[in-house]
Amino acid sequence: MSDYEKLGVFYLGREYNLASGQLSNTPVLYDSKDLTTHALCVGMTGSGKTGLCLSLLEEAAIDGLPAICIDPKGDLGNLLLTFPSLKPADFKPWIDPGEATRKGLTVDELAARTATQWKEGLAAWDQPPERISRFRESADVCIYTPGSTVGVPLTILKSLSAPPPVIRDNAEAFRERIGSAVSGLLALLGVDADPLRSREHILLSTLVERSWRDGQNLELGRLIRDIQQTPFDRVGFLDLESFFPAKDRFSFAMSLNNLLASPGFQAWMTGEPLDIQRLLYTPEGKPRIAILSIAHLSDAERMFFVTILLGEVISWMRAQSGTTALRALLYMDEIFGYFPPSANPPSKQPMLTLLKQARAFGLGCVLATQNPVDLDYKGLSNCGTWLIGRLQTERDKLRVLDGLEGASTATGHAFDRSSMEKLLSSLGSRVFLMNNVHDDQPTVFQSRWALSYLRGPLSREQIQLLMDERKSQMPEDHAASTWHADAATGTRPVLPPEVSEVFIERSGALSTGENLIYHPALYATARIHFTQTAGGIDEWQTVSLLLPAHEGEALNWEAAEELEGELTLASSPEANATFTQPPAELFRAKTYTSQATALKDCLYRSRKLSLFKCADPKGISLPGESEGDFRQRLDQGHRDQRELAKAKIQAKYQSKLQTLEDRLRRAEQTAEKQKSQANSQTLSAVISFGTSLLGAFTSRKKISTTNLSRAATSARAASRVLEERGDVGRAEETVEAVRSQIQKLQDDFQHEIDEIVGLDPSRYVLEETQLTPKKTDMKVERMILAWVPFKQDRSGKMIPAW
């Protein structure tokens, strides 16, 4: 295993000496935990910014960390171009024929040259081909295309679903969530809405808040109806007509309706739901790099989607437990226009919220741009790591220096502006200055060779080619109901007073020649209680069921259709509708009592709360938590324990290291002092010996008392020289001994750090256990006759209309 293959560190490149232009062999290892304080990567075209950012995402995936990546240009799809065999045939489909022509080569020749270039490049950076395989196996990479079916489509319908209670109970978070959803929708309509002044924004915010406050999802069709038939009479201190007249509300509703009815908008209504957890992890719990490609969208559509996405990320973030370890990444390439210094687009506030608050939840934000002057540097002072490449203008350099100074001031670190300015002026291609507030000083490095083939932005056809196989494996969206409707017999039946009835609201308009028919069913809601003291389980579940009632067929709750939530009901039917005659038993009140008992028995037999248990690491899943999510929660707990263990080891060795460093400093001072004294004694001895020798030769009396005295003094000086040299030797031995102790301590420290291993979440051994509901706590809250609408076309075919 290479030195850089350590848990919790990213291999970004090697240190680079700007003065000599030499690349060293010292790898630059970035502590992944530092990304919880976010990062910014800036650099002009040709600086190597894209390669560095893709390398960072590769490192995150290898370390088991998922990422959501917003891709306005199409570069990030290169993460799917990974070829462990490094054969020319692997590269050939992705070679640009125009580039081959410009270089005077055939496509085959350029493919061979590219394969050789990648093989040699990886080898030069100590990355074997097996590392490409490791990257591919560590994470799923998927390209999503909101508003298009080129990649995997995403539906935005969930973005108007009520946020979880953790958001609704937090007044500030709830207001932000409403504001971002409404601002994004108005941006799509082309309405430049100030949340404090725009009547459109205030009206929509009020409607959304009323629904979400009660935990009700808000369908776009209902939103249009509520704009026209507003369910309140006053806004603030003004009556509704003074604030927003009915004529203007109708025009506003028509604008929204025209948008929804347009053929281009239908692509926004299909696909996988915009679910952050599902974007970050596969259903099996494997980390995912979710590339959200928005290059095909208009500017208004991009702003709409990014705003909605950031709002969903905030909701997901607040639902997570706090952690000091890195949990996931949010990366945005080319943030220009979404986080400007003066303007206030809908995306700015949620991005600022993430930069300020995401750290506590282990979410790291990484932003990239070519033009730092177009960013709010005050907001970017929340970025603890700056990766700075070659800049285009002096204005860019000054803005970067302002941002760096702000980030240093925010963390209490000193900032040498003049030295930093000199470094920025010396950067070349693929050479970056990393200023990390967690490090003592900036680091200059050259980025490593990317594992992925960097062929440039992918076209729509290339994205479709990459995603076709995945889309073919996706389950089809079956909207057709399993219901069947009996023939209509005529008018609405007359029920006895003790039997209540409701009417399910119709969805969609009736076409010419279609008739509306109501079919009878039993609509029930019940509450189920699961408890387990040992596992700390105390879970209440509410179920809503709809059971068709056909003449001559027994009522069997095992055949009932379970609903995702409560139905939208009306107290009266639509005009000119016909009805199917209900079974005779539904005219008797006692039937509903007996069916409530039958439903309880059915739920007690069939309803189980399935949970997962793990012995190592020890844990039990939460109700409703999927296997994949449970594995990731176990893994996050393991990461937290790993960071805690690392902190304990560091604290354990820090005091010992400090003591040895102090001892080394004193030993070195003593050695220097002994050397100085030895040199002084040597000089004195030489002078004394020379004086006595000179006296012996010049005196008339060769052997005199004075000469003998001088000789004795010289002998004593020579003896002291020997003693001093002995002291120097002993002092130097002490220095070497202390250095050896420091080296051993550092080796021991590194050994203990390396022993903190990570586990692949897929290898956790899980056991499934099932809880039976507590029958005495089970309660049927509603058992009522419901009329279900069907459309009948001219051929007599029945189509569900609810």
Side-chain angles (χ1 to χ4, degrees):
M1 183 178 292
S2 302
D3 290 338
Y4 56 76
E5 298 288 17
K6 298 177 181 178
L7 284 171
V9 295
F10 295 169
Y11 174 38
L12 299 183
R14 294 180 188 152
E15 292 184 6
Y16 187 86
N17 190 318
L18 283 175
S20 64
Q22 296 295 317
L23 181 66
S24 76
N25 290 323
T26 304
V28 173
L29 303 180
Y30 180 81
D31 191 339
S32 64
K33 187 174 65 174
D34 292 349
L35 272 182
T36 57
T37 53
H38 316 306
L40 172 69
C41 184
V42 297
M44 62 181 287
T45 301
S47 64
K49 172 176 58 69
T50 300
L52 173 60
C53 291
L54 263 64
S55 296
L56 188 146
L57 292 171
E58 291 170 350
E59 293 294 327
I62 290 174
D63 205 36
L65 293 166
I68 291 177
C69 308
I70 306 173
D71 185 13
K73 294 195 309 178
D75 284 324
L76 301 186
N78 292 170
L79 289 167
L80 281 157
L81 306 183
T82 48
F83 315 121
S85 300
L86 296 174
K87 296 179 179 178
D90 297 329
F91 291 86
K92 182 179 177 180
W94 309 102
I95 294 296
D96 181 4
E99 181 184 358
T101 301
R102 288 191 296 272
K103 293 183 177 181
L105 302 172
T106 65
V107 171
D108 287 332
E109 290 172 340
L110 184 54
R113 179 180 293 186
T114 303
T116 301
Q117 180 188 16
W118 235 257
K119 187 179 300 182
E120 293 175 350
L122 290 172
W125 289 86
D126 192 27
Q127 297 186 102
E130 292 76 19
R131 198 162 196 255
I132 302 178
S133 299
R134 187 179 176 195
F135 164 58
R136 293 180 59 169
E137 294 166 359
S138 297
D140 175 65
V141 184
C142 182
I143 302 178
Y144 295 90
T145 51
S148 170
T149 57
V150 171
V152 177
L154 278 177
T155 176
I156 60 165
L157 287 179
K158 191 177 183 299
S159 63
L160 292 179
S161 296
V166 67
I167 299 294
R168 301 201 300 268
D169 296 340
N170 184 321
E172 180 183 2
F174 192 44
R175 285 196 304 270
E176 289 179 355
R177 186 71 183 85
I178 293 172
S180 63
V182 171
S183 295
L185 187 58
L186 290 175
L188 190 60
L189 286 170
V191 178
D192 186 10
D194 185 332
L196 298 179
R197 299 180 181 180
S198 166
R199 60 182 185 176
E200 291 87 357
H201 198 292
I202 294 172
L203 177 64
L204 287 184
S205 297
T206 305
L207 292 172
V208 171
E209 181 181 8
R210 286 172 64 93
S211 294
W212 285 1
R213 182 71 67 186
D214 298 331
Q216 296 180 357
N217 300 334
L218 186 59
E219 295 181 357
L220 295 178
R222 176 186 163 191
L223 182 62
I224 293 173
R225 184 174 62 250
D226 286 349
I227 291 173
Q228 294 178 267
Q229 303 172 3
T230 311
F232 46 83
D233 298 325
R234 303 186 69 83
V235 178
F237 290 101
L238 296 178
D239 65 275
L240 179 62
E241 284 303 306
S242 299
F243 174 75
F244 206 147
K247 182 179 179 181
D248 294 343
R249 294 201 313 274
F250 176 77
S251 177
F252 179 42
M254 286 298 295
S255 298
L256 184 57
N257 183 72
N258 291 341
L259 173 69
L260 298 182
S262 64
F265 193 78
Q266 296 308 307
W268 292 94
M269 313 291 279
T270 59
E272 294 187 6
L274 184 57
D275 185 323
I276 300 303
Q277 185 67 19
R278 292 281 72 84
L279 289 179
L280 290 172
Y281 295 100
T282 67
E284 297 76 27
K286 186 176 183 179
R288 173 181 283 151
I289 298 179
I291 301 170
L292 307 178
S293 179
I294 58 175
H296 58 284
L297 301 178
S298 66
D299 289 341
E301 290 173 329
R302 291 186 188 190
M303 183 61 70
F304 165 66
F305 176 73
V306 170
T307 303
I308 293 295
L309 173 68
L310 296 181
E312 290 290 335
V313 171
I314 292 174
S315 296
W316 172 85
M317 175 191 76
R318 294 186 190 277
Q320 307 305 306
S321 59
T323 179
T324 58
L326 185 63
R327 173 181 270 126
L329 290 179
L330 173 67
Y331 172 72
M332 184 165 185
D333 192 21
E334 297 305 334
I335 195 174
F336 164 72
Y338 298 93
F339 199 53
S342 55
N344 194 32
S347 59
K348 185 172 181 178
Q349 185 56 47
M351 180 62 76
L352 191 58
T353 298
L354 287 169
L355 290 175
K356 289 183 176 180
Q357 301 179 14
R359 175 181 184 178
F361 303 94
L363 177 65
C365 299
V366 182
L367 310 178
T369 185
Q370 294 184 29
N371 306 102
V373 295
D374 296 317
L375 300 181
D376 187 338
Y377 75 91
K378 293 181 180 179
L380 292 177
S381 64
N382 291 283
C383 293
T385 300
W386 288 59
L387 301 165
I388 308 165
R390 188 170 55 187
L391 300 174
Q392 192 163 7
T393 66
E394 283 296 317
R395 191 167 167 230
D396 288 335
K397 188 193 303 180
L398 292 176
R399 176 53 59 88
V400 166
L401 289 170
D402 290 340
L404 285 172
E405 190 169 11
S408 298
T409 302
T411 55
H413 286 70
F415 182 74
D416 189 338
R417 191 180 181 97
S418 60
S419 298
M420 189 66 68
E421 187 173 2
K422 292 179 181 177
L423 288 175
L424 293 181
S425 301
S426 306
L427 300 176
S429 180
R430 285 185 57 203
V431 177
F432 290 84
L433 171 69
M434 178 170 66
N435 188 77
N436 185 355
V437 296
H438 304 282
D439 294 341
D440 295 330
Q441 59 186 9
T443 301
V444 178
F445 71 98
Q446 188 175 90
S447 60
R448 69 160 174 81
W449 199 270
L451 302 175
S452 310
Y453 170 42
L454 307 182
R455 58 92 54 213
L458 298 181
S459 65
R460 292 168 61 91
E461 292 74 17
Q462 289 169 330
I463 293 175
Q464 186 168 10
L465 179 63
L466 287 168
M467 291 293 104
D468 271 349
E469 183 179 355
R470 181 185 295 267
K471 288 191 292 183
S472 67
Q473 297 172 353
M474 293 172 57
E476 295 184 12
D477 186 13
H478 296 287
S481 173
T482 57
W483 280 60
H484 67 277
D486 299 329
T489 57
T491 60
R492 174 182 174 184
V494 178
L495 300 174
E498 60 270 19
V499 175
S500 301
E501 61 181 342
V502 293
F503 301 83
I504 298 175
E505 284 195 1
R506 172 178 55 85
S507 64
L510 290 174
S511 302
T512 303
E514 288 184 334
N515 298 317
L516 183 66
I517 299 175
Y518 282 106
H519 183 78
L522 285 179
Y523 176 41
T525 58
R527 282 174 57 79
I528 311 172
H529 193 198
F530 296 93
T531 61
Q532 187 191 68
T533 305
I537 305 298
D538 188 3
E539 170 76 1
W540 283 91
Q541 293 183 353
T542 299
V543 295
S544 298
L545 301 168
L546 197 62
L547 177 63
H550 299 286
E551 186 68 43
E553 295 182 11
L555 296 171
N556 180 7
W557 285 102
E558 292 183 357
E561 180 176 346
E562 184 169 354
L563 308 172
E564 292 186 0
E566 294 193 9
L567 295 171
T568 303
L569 305 175
S571 57
S572 59
E574 294 190 26
N576 301 321
T578 55
F579 289 78
T580 299
Q581 185 71 14
E585 56 188 316
L586 294 188
F587 285 83
R588 297 190 292 269
K590 66 178 182 179
T591 297
Y592 299 88
T593 303
S594 62
Q595 286 302 314
T597 302
L599 176 58
K600 281 186 180 181
D601 293 337
C602 177
L603 292 175
Y604 181 75
R605 293 192 311 270
S606 61
R607 293 284 165 160
K608 306 293 180 184
L609 182 61
S610 296
L611 302 172
F612 297 100
K613 293 172 63 177
C614 183
D616 184 23
K618 188 175 182 180
I620 187 168
S621 66
L622 301 174
E625 187 174 30
S626 68
E627 178 182 349
D629 291 345
F630 178 47
R631 289 183 183 276
Q632 290 309 316
R633 186 161 61 85
L634 290 174
D635 185 54
Q636 187 60 41
H638 181 72
R639 288 179 182 273
D640 292 341
Q641 292 176 1
R642 186 182 74 193
E643 294 298 333
L644 181 61
K646 286 172 64 176
K648 287 182 177 179
I649 292 173
Q650 289 170 344
K652 169 185 170 183
Y653 280 91
Q654 185 62 40
S655 59
K656 295 180 180 180
L657 183 61
Q658 186 64 48
T659 299
L660 287 176
E661 287 179 343
D662 291 342
R663 188 183 301 171
L664 177 61
R665 187 164 50 252
R666 291 195 300 269
E668 288 176 339
Q669 290 173 352
T670 300
E672 287 299 321
K673 182 178 179 181
Q674 293 295 343
K675 286 181 181 178
S676 177
Q677 290 177 351
N679 292 337
S680 177
Q681 289 295 337
T682 300
L683 181 59
S684 297
V686 169
I687 293 173
S688 176
F689 180 75
T691 301
S692 62
L693 190 62
L694 183 61
F697 280 107
T698 59
S699 175
R700 288 191 297 268
K701 296 180 180 179
K702 302 298 182 186
I703 301 178
S704 65
T705 303
T706 302
N707 288 339
L708 289 174
S709 176
R710 288 176 177 172
T713 301
S714 298
R716 288 193 298 273
S719 177
R720 285 195 295 273
V721 168
L722 293 176
E723 291 178 1
E724 292 293 344
R725 288 180 177 174
D727 292 341
V728 169
R730 287 188 290 274
E732 289 179 341
E733 289 176 358
T734 302
V735 169
E736 289 303 319
V738 176
R739 285 177 177 167
S740 297
Q741 291 176 341
I742 289 177
Q743 184 61 50
K744 184 178 183 306
L745 189 69
Q746 291 174 338
D747 292 342
D748 292 343
F749 168 76
Q750 193 60 53
H751 178 70
E752 288 198 36
I753 288 292
D754 292 342
E755 282 189 339
I756 305 176
V757 297
L759 297 177
D760 182 351
S762 64
R763 297 184 180 179
Y764 295 149
V765 179
L766 304 185
E767 295 180 357
E768 188 172 356
T769 181
Q770 292 187 330
L771 299 184
T772 301
K774 194 173 181 180
K775 194 171 185 178
T776 54
D777 290 344
M778 195 177 298
K779 181 181 180 181
V780 176
E781 297 182 326
R782 173 185 286 170
M783 180 66 69
I784 194 170
L785 173 62
W787 292 100
V788 185
F790 282 78
K791 293 187 291 185
Q792 184 182 42
D793 61 18
R794 292 177 178 177
S795 66
K797 181 180 179 181
M798 295 289 187
I799 305 170
W802 53 286

